[in-house]
């Protein structure tokens, strides 16, 4: 039987660094292109249209040199906004996001225990490369922003 620490370390390893969905490490220009694409094509399906208000990027996004390769993009999303838009309870938001992924044929892994949905998203202007985008539903964008930045 695994200890709680072993479980948490394994869970975080699987979702951090682009490993949950076998994402390709992305350069900074690629992360920016993927984020713009996700903002345009996926987040509005969740009712998210105001960067910094109902969703925000976390972590190293935009903070590395162009040639450095972060493993993934972390996006915090407002539980309240998604629940209202999709007509579900706060408890069912993650399940509803997964259902949107299924409907849109987006490959994902759902880390139920850590409340992260990891998407495999095509990297624009590449031949068949995919990056990992972690969707992190939260009651407080500010709280996650403080922790991850």
């Amino acid at each position: 039987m695994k200890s709680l620490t072993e479980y948490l370390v394994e869970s975080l390893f699987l979702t951090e660094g682009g490993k949950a969905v076998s994402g390709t490490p992305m350069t900074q220009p690629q992360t920016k292109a993927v984020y713009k694409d996700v903002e345009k094509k996926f987040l509005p399906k969740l009712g998210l249209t105001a960067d910094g208000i109902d969703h925000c990027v976390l972590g190293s996004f935009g903070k590395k040199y162009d040639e450095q390769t972060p493993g993934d993009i972390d996006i915090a999303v407002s539980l309240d906004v998604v629940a209202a838009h999709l007509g579900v309870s706060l408890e069912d938001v993650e399940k509803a996001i997964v259902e949107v992924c299924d409907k849109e044929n987006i490959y994902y892994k759902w880390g139920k225990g850590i409340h992260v949905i990891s998407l495999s998203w095509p990297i624009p202007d590449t031949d068949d490369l995919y990056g990992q985008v972690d969707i992190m539903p939260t009651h407080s964008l500010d709280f996650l922003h403080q922790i991850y930045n």
Side-chain angles (χ1 to χ4, degrees), residues 13-111:
F13 176 75
L14 290 174
T15 61
E16 284 304 312
K19 302 208 184 319
V21 292
S22 300
T24 299
M26 298 174 278
T27 64
Q28 287 298 309
Q30 287 174 328
T31 61
K32 290 174 183 175
V34 168
Y35 180 64
K36 283 183 182 180
D37 206 40
V38 168
E39 257 196 325
K40 180 181 176 184
K41 297 177 182 174
F42 182 72
L43 296 182
K45 294 178 187 317
L46 306 179
L48 304 166
T49 58
D51 188 8
I53 297 173
D54 58 24
H55 67 280
C56 68
V57 162
L58 304 171
S60 64
F61 180 83
K63 297 177 185 170
K64 294 187 176 186
Y65 295 109
D66 281 354
E67 66 278 359
Q68 290 181 300
T69 55
D72 59 17
I73 302 170
D74 300 314
I75 304 174
V77 301
S78 169
L79 275 166
D80 296 318
V81 172
V82 176
H85 181 76
L86 297 178
V88 299
S89 69
L90 293 175
E91 294 78 24
D92 289 334
V93 165
E94 290 177 36
K95 181 180 177 191
I97 292 172
V98 164
E99 289 172 354
V100 170
C101 291
D102 286 337
K103 181 179 177 188
E104 299 296 320
N105 290 321
I106 298 168
Y107 180 75
Y108 65 90
K109 293 243 176 128
W110 181 11

Side-chain angles (χ1 to χ4, degrees), residues 22 24-25 30 34 121-131:
S22 300
T24 299
Q30 287 174 328
V34 168
W121 197 269
I123 301 172
D125 301 320
T126 65
D127 294 326
D128 242 9
L129 294 178
Y130 288 77

